[in-house]
Amino acid sequence: MTIDDVTALMGTALYTIIKCAAPLLLTSLCIGLTVSIFQTVTSIQEQTLTFVPKILSIFIALMLLGHWIMNNMVEFMMNLWANFSLYIR
C-alpha cells in the first residue's frame, strides 16, 4: 500500500465523516442561531435556554436522517472490507 493509497483512503474517510455529520451540525447551528436571536430580541439572558431546543432538534434530525447516515457509514465500511486484500500488501 503506497502513500497515495493511504491518502485516498483518508480523504474518503474524512469526506464520509463530514457528509454524515453536516446535517446534524447544521440543524444545531440553525436552532442555536434562532434561539440566540430570540434571546436578543426579548432580552432574556439565560445560558441554558438553548440546550433543550438543540437536543430536541438533534434527536428529531437523527430520527429523520439516521437511516441515511447509517447507510453511508455501512457503504464506506463495506468498501473498506471489500478492498482489504489491497490494503495488506
Side-chain angles (χ1 to χ4, degrees), residues 15-52:
Y15 177 72
T16 303
I17 290 169
I18 291 170
K19 187 169 64 169
C20 290
L24 301 176
L25 292 173
L26 288 174
T27 302
S28 179
L29 174 77
C30 291
I31 296 297
L33 182 64
T34 305
V35 171
S36 293
I37 291 171
F38 174 74
Q39 283 180 323
T40 302
V41 168
T42 59
S43 298
I44 298 173
Q45 297 301 324
E46 180 63 35
Q47 296 294 326
T48 60
L49 185 63
T50 62
F51 183 72
V52 173

Side-chain angles (χ1 to χ4, degrees), residues 1 5 8 13 24 27-29 41-42 53-54 59 62 64 66 69 71 76 81 86:
M1 189 166 185
D5 295 335
L24 301 176
T27 302
S28 179
L29 174 77
V41 168
T42 59
K54 278 186 183 181
F59 181 68
L62 274 174
L64 295 175
I69 291 170
N71 280 340
F76 176 72
W81 285 108
L86 298 174

Side-chain angles (χ1 to χ4, degrees), residues 66-80:
H67 182 68
W68 177 77
I69 291 170
M70 185 59 77
N71 280 340
N72 283 329
M73 292 169 48
V74 167
E75 180 183 329
F76 176 72
M77 286 305 297
M78 287 178 66
N79 287 337
L80 277 180

